[in-house]
Amino acid sequence: LQRLYGLLASRLSTDLGVAVEYLPVTDYTASVTAFKVGDLDLVWYGGLTGVQTRLQVPGAKAIAQRDIDAEFHSVFIANKASGLAPFTELDGLAVLKGHSFTFGSESSTSGRLMPQHFLSQAGVQLSDFKGEPGFSGAHDKTIKLVESGTYEAGVLNEQVWKSRNEAGEVDGAKVQLLWRSPAYYDYHWVLSPEVATRFGAEMPERITHARLGLDAAKPEDQAILDLFGATKFIPTADENYRDIEAVGREAGLIK
């Protein structure tokens, strides 16, 4: 994250002519709070936390997303010793009943919200798991917990699963892919309405242009896009996340 956002902050500082600083936060909730009180101007949010933030900060806007975020997926994985086998249909999630299971962060769109929605559609309630479901706190940790057998199954975002497999960081003898979810909108940039007040009415458009202007043909931009796991950024809008809001309200994660 330091490498990615350090490069991005430097690029934005040059493009915008103002100092841009990357401020790490401890978790999703902290990012929402920091944005709400004005400590953050531009945040890379998951679908759920982006919706939560915009509901709490009138005038905040979704401005851009990666090309992969318009059709994002979660993947359910299992420890091979669990006896669970891959399946192709949503109702196959019913096989998870009676098995121990972990989500990622409690506020993660791809590691909790949408997976819980798909489980519910398959008739699986949280009480159907063996013991209480876990919340690993991070996609990488979900892989490790399932790989070690701490949990028999878990769910994480597809991008992390693919990248960790490509890097040789997943023990294929111990953990396997069970199912890939249907597509949904996920990560996106959210811009504070205070930016226009502090930096001028043209700044939001300049920031959006800088995001969309990252060009894979330029080595310095390619490095940033590679770290994001994308080939380009594309425009997005608040209305793309209405389904996420509906599912969040259904799950009690948006009041």
PDB file of all heavy atoms in Angstrom, residues 137-167:
ATOM      1  N   GLY A 137     -10.389 -10.277   8.815  1.00  0.00           N
ATOM      2  CA  GLY A 137      -9.907  -8.900   8.760  1.00  0.00           C
ATOM      3  C   GLY A 137      -9.192  -8.543   7.477  1.00  0.00           C
ATOM      4  O   GLY A 137      -8.987  -7.363   7.184  1.00  0.00           O
ATOM      5  N   ALA A 138      -8.795  -9.556   6.680  1.00  0.00           N
ATOM      6  CA  ALA A 138      -8.070  -9.282   5.436  1.00  0.00           C
ATOM      7  C   ALA A 138      -8.175 -10.483   4.504  1.00  0.00           C
ATOM      8  O   ALA A 138      -8.197 -11.631   4.961  1.00  0.00           O
ATOM      9  CB  ALA A 138      -6.608  -8.966   5.717  1.00  0.00           C
ATOM     10  N   HIS A 139      -8.224 -10.222   3.197  1.00  0.00           N
ATOM     11  CA  HIS A 139      -8.360 -11.290   2.211  1.00  0.00           C
ATOM     12  C   HIS A 139      -7.184 -12.266   2.279  1.00  0.00           C
ATOM     13  O   HIS A 139      -7.364 -13.487   2.219  1.00  0.00           O
ATOM     14  CB  HIS A 139      -8.462 -10.697   0.799  1.00  0.00           C
ATOM     15  CG  HIS A 139      -9.633  -9.790   0.623  1.00  0.00           C
ATOM     16  ND1 HIS A 139     -10.933 -10.227   0.676  1.00  0.00           N
ATOM     17  CD2 HIS A 139      -9.703  -8.453   0.383  1.00  0.00           C
ATOM     18  CE1 HIS A 139     -11.755  -9.208   0.466  1.00  0.00           C
ATOM     19  NE2 HIS A 139     -11.024  -8.121   0.297  1.00  0.00           N
ATOM     20  N   ASP A 140      -5.968 -11.737   2.401  1.00  0.00           N
ATOM     21  CA  ASP A 140      -4.787 -12.597   2.489  1.00  0.00           C
ATOM     22  C   ASP A 140      -4.869 -13.532   3.697  1.00  0.00           C
ATOM     23  O   ASP A 140      -4.525 -14.718   3.612  1.00  0.00           O
ATOM     24  CB  ASP A 140      -3.511 -11.764   2.609  1.00  0.00           C
ATOM     25  CG  ASP A 140      -3.251 -10.906   1.390  1.00  0.00           C
ATOM     26  OD1 ASP A 140      -2.585 -11.380   0.466  1.00  0.00           O
ATOM     27  OD2 ASP A 140      -3.735  -9.761   1.400  1.00  0.00           O
ATOM     28  N   LYS A 141      -5.353 -12.990   4.803  1.00  0.00           N
ATOM     29  CA  LYS A 141      -5.433 -13.785   6.023  1.00  0.00           C
ATOM     30  C   LYS A 141      -6.484 -14.882   5.880  1.00  0.00           C
ATOM     31  O   LYS A 141      -6.332 -15.975   6.441  1.00  0.00           O
ATOM     32  CB  LYS A 141      -5.735 -12.896   7.228  1.00  0.00           C
ATOM     33  CG  LYS A 141      -5.544 -13.614   8.554  1.00  0.00           C
ATOM     34  CD  LYS A 141      -5.631 -12.659   9.728  1.00  0.00           C
ATOM     35  CE  LYS A 141      -5.401 -13.407  11.039  1.00  0.00           C
ATOM     36  NZ  LYS A 141      -5.501 -12.497  12.211  1.00  0.00           N
ATOM     37  N   THR A 142      -7.556 -14.593   5.140  1.00  0.00           N
ATOM     38  CA  THR A 142      -8.578 -15.621   4.899  1.00  0.00           C
ATOM     39  C   THR A 142      -7.949 -16.837   4.226  1.00  0.00           C
ATOM     40  O   THR A 142      -8.214 -17.980   4.609  1.00  0.00           O
ATOM     41  CB  THR A 142      -9.710 -15.060   4.026  1.00  0.00           C
ATOM     42  OG1 THR A 142     -10.393 -14.022   4.735  1.00  0.00           O
ATOM     43  CG2 THR A 142     -10.714 -16.143   3.655  1.00  0.00           C
ATOM     44  N   ILE A 143      -7.119 -16.592   3.209  1.00  0.00           N
ATOM     45  CA  ILE A 143      -6.451 -17.706   2.521  1.00  0.00           C
ATOM     46  C   ILE A 143      -5.635 -18.521   3.511  1.00  0.00           C
ATOM     47  O   ILE A 143      -5.715 -19.757   3.540  1.00  0.00           O
ATOM     48  CB  ILE A 143      -5.526 -17.186   1.398  1.00  0.00           C
ATOM     49  CG1 ILE A 143      -6.333 -16.474   0.308  1.00  0.00           C
ATOM     50  CG2 ILE A 143      -4.742 -18.349   0.786  1.00  0.00           C
ATOM     51  CD1 ILE A 143      -5.480 -15.821  -0.770  1.00  0.00           C
ATOM     52  N   LYS A 144      -4.861 -17.843   4.341  1.00  0.00           N
ATOM     53  CA  LYS A 144      -3.973 -18.537   5.270  1.00  0.00           C
ATOM     54  C   LYS A 144      -4.750 -19.325   6.330  1.00  0.00           C
ATOM     55  O   LYS A 144      -4.347 -20.420   6.732  1.00  0.00           O
ATOM     56  CB  LYS A 144      -3.017 -17.545   5.937  1.00  0.00           C
ATOM     57  CG  LYS A 144      -2.021 -16.920   4.962  1.00  0.00           C
ATOM     58  CD  LYS A 144      -1.251 -17.997   4.189  1.00  0.00           C
ATOM     59  CE  LYS A 144      -0.295 -17.402   3.183  1.00  0.00           C
ATOM     60  NZ  LYS A 144       0.350 -18.465   2.349  1.00  0.00           N
ATOM     61  N   LEU A 145      -5.867 -18.765   6.798  1.00  0.00           N
ATOM     62  CA  LEU A 145      -6.670 -19.453   7.811  1.00  0.00           C
ATOM     63  C   LEU A 145      -7.307 -20.718   7.253  1.00  0.00           C
ATOM     64  O   LEU A 145      -7.410 -21.734   7.946  1.00  0.00           O
ATOM     65  CB  LEU A 145      -7.749 -18.513   8.361  1.00  0.00           C
ATOM     66  CG  LEU A 145      -7.252 -17.381   9.269  1.00  0.00           C
ATOM     67  CD1 LEU A 145      -8.386 -16.426   9.584  1.00  0.00           C
ATOM     68  CD2 LEU A 145      -6.653 -17.942  10.562  1.00  0.00           C
ATOM     69  N   VAL A 146      -7.742 -20.657   5.990  1.00  0.00           N
ATOM     70  CA  VAL A 146      -8.330 -21.836   5.355  1.00  0.00           C
ATOM     71  C   VAL A 146      -7.230 -22.833   5.001  1.00  0.00           C
ATOM     72  O   VAL A 146      -7.373 -24.040   5.186  1.00  0.00           O
ATOM     73  CB  VAL A 146      -9.142 -21.444   4.107  1.00  0.00           C
ATOM     74  CG1 VAL A 146      -9.641 -22.684   3.354  1.00  0.00           C
ATOM     75  CG2 VAL A 146     -10.331 -20.570   4.497  1.00  0.00           C
ATOM     76  N   GLU A 147      -6.132 -22.340   4.515  1.00  0.00           N
ATOM     77  CA  GLU A 147      -4.997 -23.194   4.142  1.00  0.00           C
ATOM     78  C   GLU A 147      -4.480 -23.987   5.352  1.00  0.00           C
ATOM     79  O   GLU A 147      -4.128 -25.172   5.244  1.00  0.00           O
ATOM     80  CB  GLU A 147      -3.888 -22.321   3.575  1.00  0.00           C
ATOM     81  CG  GLU A 147      -2.719 -23.058   2.950  1.00  0.00           C
ATOM     82  CD  GLU A 147      -1.720 -22.078   2.344  1.00  0.00           C
ATOM     83  OE1 GLU A 147      -1.870 -21.742   1.169  1.00  0.00           O
ATOM     84  OE2 GLU A 147      -0.806 -21.628   3.076  1.00  0.00           O
ATOM     85  N   SER A 148      -4.464 -23.353   6.508  1.00  0.00           N
ATOM     86  CA  SER A 148      -3.950 -23.993   7.725  1.00  0.00           C
ATOM     87  C   SER A 148      -4.958 -24.938   8.356  1.00  0.00           C
ATOM     88  O   SER A 148      -4.600 -25.731   9.234  1.00  0.00           O
ATOM     89  CB  SER A 148      -3.547 -22.934   8.749  1.00  0.00           C
ATOM     90  OG  SER A 148      -4.704 -22.266   9.255  1.00  0.00           O
ATOM     91  N   GLY A 149      -6.224 -24.816   7.939  1.00  0.00           N
ATOM     92  CA  GLY A 149      -7.261 -25.654   8.526  1.00  0.00           C
ATOM     93  C   GLY A 149      -7.941 -25.036   9.733  1.00  0.00           C
ATOM     94  O   GLY A 149      -8.796 -25.663  10.360  1.00  0.00           O
ATOM     95  N   THR A 150      -7.590 -23.798  10.067  1.00  0.00           N
ATOM     96  CA  THR A 150      -8.262 -23.103  11.167  1.00  0.00           C
ATOM     97  C   THR A 150      -9.761 -23.001  10.868  1.00  0.00           C
ATOM     98  O   THR A 150     -10.594 -23.137  11.761  1.00  0.00           O
ATOM     99  CB  THR A 150      -7.671 -21.698  11.370  1.00  0.00           C
ATOM    100  OG1 THR A 150      -6.266 -21.815  11.614  1.00  0.00           O
ATOM    101  CG2 THR A 150      -8.337 -20.980  12.534  1.00  0.00           C
ATOM    102  N   TYR A 151     -10.086 -22.733   9.609  1.00  0.00           N
ATOM    103  CA  TYR A 151     -11.458 -22.797   9.118  1.00  0.00           C
ATOM    104  C   TYR A 151     -11.476 -23.723   7.906  1.00  0.00           C
ATOM    105  O   TYR A 151     -10.524 -23.758   7.130  1.00  0.00           O
ATOM    106  CB  TYR A 151     -11.961 -21.410   8.715  1.00  0.00           C
ATOM    107  CG  TYR A 151     -12.162 -20.476   9.882  1.00  0.00           C
ATOM    108  CD1 TYR A 151     -11.154 -19.606  10.291  1.00  0.00           C
ATOM    109  CD2 TYR A 151     -13.352 -20.473  10.586  1.00  0.00           C
ATOM    110  CE1 TYR A 151     -11.331 -18.765  11.370  1.00  0.00           C
ATOM    111  CE2 TYR A 151     -13.548 -19.626  11.668  1.00  0.00           C
ATOM    112  CZ  TYR A 151     -12.538 -18.782  12.058  1.00  0.00           C
ATOM    113  OH  TYR A 151     -12.716 -17.938  13.134  1.00  0.00           O
ATOM    114  N   GLU A 152     -12.571 -24.464   7.760  1.00  0.00           N
ATOM    115  CA  GLU A 152     -12.668 -25.384   6.638  1.00  0.00           C
ATOM    116  C   GLU A 152     -12.928 -24.658   5.319  1.00  0.00           C
ATOM    117  O   GLU A 152     -12.552 -25.150   4.255  1.00  0.00           O
ATOM    118  CB  GLU A 152     -13.784 -26.395   6.896  1.00  0.00           C
ATOM    119  CG  GLU A 152     -13.488 -27.335   8.057  1.00  0.00           C
ATOM    120  CD  GLU A 152     -14.659 -28.224   8.377  1.00  0.00           C
ATOM    121  OE1 GLU A 152     -15.672 -27.697   8.885  1.00  0.00           O
ATOM    122  OE2 GLU A 152     -14.570 -29.444   8.113  1.00  0.00           O
ATOM    123  N   ALA A 153     -13.570 -23.500   5.383  1.00  0.00           N
ATOM    124  CA  ALA A 153     -13.885 -22.746   4.162  1.00  0.00           C
ATOM    125  C   ALA A 153     -13.894 -21.259   4.461  1.00  0.00           C
ATOM    126  O   ALA A 153     -13.957 -20.839   5.627  1.00  0.00           O
ATOM    127  CB  ALA A 153     -15.236 -23.185   3.598  1.00  0.00           C
ATOM    128  N   GLY A 154     -13.838 -20.462   3.410  1.00  0.00           N
ATOM    129  CA  GLY A 154     -13.861 -19.016   3.563  1.00  0.00           C
ATOM    130  C   GLY A 154     -14.151 -18.343   2.242  1.00  0.00           C
ATOM    131  O   GLY A 154     -14.342 -19.012   1.217  1.00  0.00           O
ATOM    132  N   VAL A 155     -14.170 -17.016   2.264  1.00  0.00           N
ATOM    133  CA  VAL A 155     -14.473 -16.260   1.049  1.00  0.00           C
ATOM    134  C   VAL A 155     -13.619 -14.997   1.003  1.00  0.00           C
ATOM    135  O   VAL A 155     -13.313 -14.402   2.038  1.00  0.00           O
ATOM    136  CB  VAL A 155     -15.987 -15.916   0.989  1.00  0.00           C
ATOM    137  CG1 VAL A 155     -16.384 -14.964   2.121  1.00  0.00           C
ATOM    138  CG2 VAL A 155     -16.375 -15.346  -0.374  1.00  0.00           C
ATOM    139  N   LEU A 156     -13.215 -14.621  -0.195  1.00  0.00           N
ATOM    140  CA  LEU A 156     -12.388 -13.432  -0.384  1.00  0.00           C
ATOM    141  C   LEU A 156     -12.592 -12.876  -1.776  1.00  0.00           C
ATOM    142  O   LEU A 156     -13.309 -13.471  -2.592  1.00  0.00           O
ATOM    143  CB  LEU A 156     -10.911 -13.764  -0.178  1.00  0.00           C
ATOM    144  CG  LEU A 156     -10.257 -14.704  -1.200  1.00  0.00           C
ATOM    145  CD1 LEU A 156      -8.780 -14.347  -1.365  1.00  0.00           C
ATOM    146  CD2 LEU A 156     -10.372 -16.156  -0.741  1.00  0.00           C
ATOM    147  N   ASN A 157     -11.985 -11.734  -2.066  1.00  0.00           N
ATOM    148  CA  ASN A 157     -12.167 -11.172  -3.401  1.00  0.00           C
ATOM    149  C   ASN A 157     -11.276 -11.888  -4.418  1.00  0.00           C
ATOM    150  O   ASN A 157     -10.174 -12.344  -4.107  1.00  0.00           O
ATOM    151  CB  ASN A 157     -12.019  -9.642  -3.392  1.00  0.00           C
ATOM    152  CG  ASN A 157     -10.641  -9.091  -3.634  1.00  0.00           C
ATOM    153  OD1 ASN A 157      -9.899  -9.532  -4.510  1.00  0.00           O
ATOM    154  ND2 ASN A 157     -10.285  -8.082  -2.849  1.00  0.00           N
ATOM    155  N   GLU A 158     -11.813 -12.011  -5.616  1.00  0.00           N
ATOM    156  CA  GLU A 158     -11.164 -12.799  -6.653  1.00  0.00           C
ATOM    157  C   GLU A 158      -9.801 -12.247  -7.037  1.00  0.00           C
ATOM    158  O   GLU A 158      -8.880 -13.017  -7.344  1.00  0.00           O
ATOM    159  CB  GLU A 158     -12.063 -12.868  -7.887  1.00  0.00           C
ATOM    160  CG  GLU A 158     -11.501 -13.720  -9.010  1.00  0.00           C
ATOM    161  CD  GLU A 158     -12.404 -13.745 -10.229  1.00  0.00           C
ATOM    162  OE1 GLU A 158     -12.910 -12.672 -10.626  1.00  0.00           O
ATOM    163  OE2 GLU A 158     -12.615 -14.843 -10.777  1.00  0.00           O
ATOM    164  N   GLN A 159      -9.657 -10.938  -7.028  1.00  0.00           N
ATOM    165  CA  GLN A 159      -8.385 -10.338  -7.435  1.00  0.00           C
ATOM    166  C   GLN A 159      -7.247 -10.796  -6.532  1.00  0.00           C
ATOM    167  O   GLN A 159      -6.161 -11.144  -7.003  1.00  0.00           O
ATOM    168  CB  GLN A 159      -8.494  -8.806  -7.412  1.00  0.00           C
ATOM    169  CG  GLN A 159      -7.224  -8.120  -7.903  1.00  0.00           C
ATOM    170  CD  GLN A 159      -7.149  -6.666  -7.474  1.00  0.00           C
ATOM    171  OE1 GLN A 159      -7.836  -6.247  -6.546  1.00  0.00           O
ATOM    172  NE2 GLN A 159      -6.327  -5.895  -8.153  1.00  0.00           N
ATOM    173  N   VAL A 160      -7.488 -10.810  -5.217  1.00  0.00           N
ATOM    174  CA  VAL A 160      -6.451 -11.246  -4.280  1.00  0.00           C
ATOM    175  C   VAL A 160      -6.157 -12.734  -4.475  1.00  0.00           C
ATOM    176  O   VAL A 160      -4.992 -13.154  -4.472  1.00  0.00           O
ATOM    177  CB  VAL A 160      -6.866 -10.956  -2.824  1.00  0.00           C
ATOM    178  CG1 VAL A 160      -5.862 -11.563  -1.847  1.00  0.00           C
ATOM    179  CG2 VAL A 160      -6.973  -9.456  -2.588  1.00  0.00           C
ATOM    180  N   TRP A 161      -7.189 -13.536  -4.651  1.00  0.00           N
ATOM    181  CA  TRP A 161      -6.998 -14.971  -4.876  1.00  0.00           C
ATOM    182  C   TRP A 161      -6.123 -15.214  -6.107  1.00  0.00           C
ATOM    183  O   TRP A 161      -5.174 -16.004  -6.057  1.00  0.00           O
ATOM    184  CB  TRP A 161      -8.361 -15.637  -5.038  1.00  0.00           C
ATOM    185  CG  TRP A 161      -8.312 -17.094  -5.417  1.00  0.00           C
ATOM    186  CD1 TRP A 161      -8.653 -17.641  -6.623  1.00  0.00           C
ATOM    187  CD2 TRP A 161      -7.913 -18.198  -4.591  1.00  0.00           C
ATOM    188  NE1 TRP A 161      -8.486 -19.002  -6.615  1.00  0.00           N
ATOM    189  CE2 TRP A 161      -8.033 -19.380  -5.372  1.00  0.00           C
ATOM    190  CE3 TRP A 161      -7.459 -18.308  -3.278  1.00  0.00           C
ATOM    191  CZ2 TRP A 161      -7.722 -20.647  -4.869  1.00  0.00           C
ATOM    192  CZ3 TRP A 161      -7.145 -19.568  -2.776  1.00  0.00           C
ATOM    193  CH2 TRP A 161      -7.275 -20.708  -3.562  1.00  0.00           C
ATOM    194  N   LYS A 162      -6.439 -14.517  -7.194  1.00  0.00           N
ATOM    195  CA  LYS A 162      -5.658 -14.694  -8.425  1.00  0.00           C
ATOM    196  C   LYS A 162      -4.224 -14.226  -8.249  1.00  0.00           C
ATOM    197  O   LYS A 162      -3.275 -14.924  -8.649  1.00  0.00           O
ATOM    198  CB  LYS A 162      -6.315 -13.918  -9.572  1.00  0.00           C
ATOM    199  CG  LYS A 162      -7.558 -14.561 -10.141  1.00  0.00           C
ATOM    200  CD  LYS A 162      -8.080 -13.754 -11.326  1.00  0.00           C
ATOM    201  CE  LYS A 162      -9.232 -14.450 -12.020  1.00  0.00           C
ATOM    202  NZ  LYS A 162      -9.744 -13.654 -13.168  1.00  0.00           N
ATOM    203  N   SER A 163      -4.043 -13.047  -7.659  1.00  0.00           N
ATOM    204  CA  SER A 163      -2.696 -12.485  -7.538  1.00  0.00           C
ATOM    205  C   SER A 163      -1.819 -13.332  -6.617  1.00  0.00           C
ATOM    206  O   SER A 163      -0.625 -13.526  -6.887  1.00  0.00           O
ATOM    207  CB  SER A 163      -2.760 -11.037  -7.038  1.00  0.00           C
ATOM    208  OG  SER A 163      -3.251 -10.966  -5.719  1.00  0.00           O
ATOM    209  N   ARG A 164      -2.395 -13.858  -5.534  1.00  0.00           N
ATOM    210  CA  ARG A 164      -1.601 -14.676  -4.621  1.00  0.00           C
ATOM    211  C   ARG A 164      -1.253 -16.024  -5.245  1.00  0.00           C
ATOM    212  O   ARG A 164      -0.179 -16.567  -5.004  1.00  0.00           O
ATOM    213  CB  ARG A 164      -2.334 -14.882  -3.292  1.00  0.00           C
ATOM    214  CG  ARG A 164      -2.579 -13.585  -2.519  1.00  0.00           C
ATOM    215  CD  ARG A 164      -1.290 -12.802  -2.294  1.00  0.00           C
ATOM    216  NE  ARG A 164      -1.562 -11.538  -1.632  1.00  0.00           N
ATOM    217  CZ  ARG A 164      -1.717 -10.374  -2.257  1.00  0.00           C
ATOM    218  NH1 ARG A 164      -1.614 -10.311  -3.577  1.00  0.00           N
ATOM    219  NH2 ARG A 164      -1.965  -9.275  -1.576  1.00  0.00           N
ATOM    220  N   ASN A 165      -2.142 -16.567  -6.059  1.00  0.00           N
ATOM    221  CA  ASN A 165      -1.827 -17.798  -6.776  1.00  0.00           C
ATOM    222  C   ASN A 165      -0.731 -17.558  -7.805  1.00  0.00           C
ATOM    223  O   ASN A 165       0.203 -18.362  -7.939  1.00  0.00           O
ATOM    224  CB  ASN A 165      -3.075 -18.363  -7.456  1.00  0.00           C
ATOM    225  CG  ASN A 165      -3.881 -19.274  -6.554  1.00  0.00           C
ATOM    226  OD1 ASN A 165      -3.560 -20.444  -6.377  1.00  0.00           O
ATOM    227  ND2 ASN A 165      -4.930 -18.719  -5.957  1.00  0.00           N
ATOM    228  N   GLU A 166      -0.835 -16.448  -8.529  1.00  0.00           N
ATOM    229  CA  GLU A 166       0.180 -16.126  -9.540  1.00  0.00           C
ATOM    230  C   GLU A 166       1.547 -15.905  -8.903  1.00  0.00           C
ATOM    231  O   GLU A 166       2.581 -16.194  -9.510  1.00  0.00           O
ATOM    232  CB  GLU A 166      -0.254 -14.880 -10.324  1.00  0.00           C
ATOM    233  CG  GLU A 166      -1.440 -15.134 -11.255  1.00  0.00           C
ATOM    234  CD  GLU A 166      -2.014 -13.849 -11.810  1.00  0.00           C
ATOM    235  OE1 GLU A 166      -1.502 -12.754 -11.478  1.00  0.00           O
ATOM    236  OE2 GLU A 166      -2.991 -13.929 -12.585  1.00  0.00           O
ATOM    237  N   ALA A 167       1.551 -15.416  -7.666  1.00  0.00           N
ATOM    238  CA  ALA A 167       2.810 -15.164  -6.958  1.00  0.00           C
ATOM    239  C   ALA A 167       3.335 -16.421  -6.270  1.00  0.00           C
ATOM    240  O   ALA A 167       4.399 -16.391  -5.651  1.00  0.00           O
ATOM    241  CB  ALA A 167       2.610 -14.061  -5.923  1.00  0.00           C
TER     242      ALA A 167
END
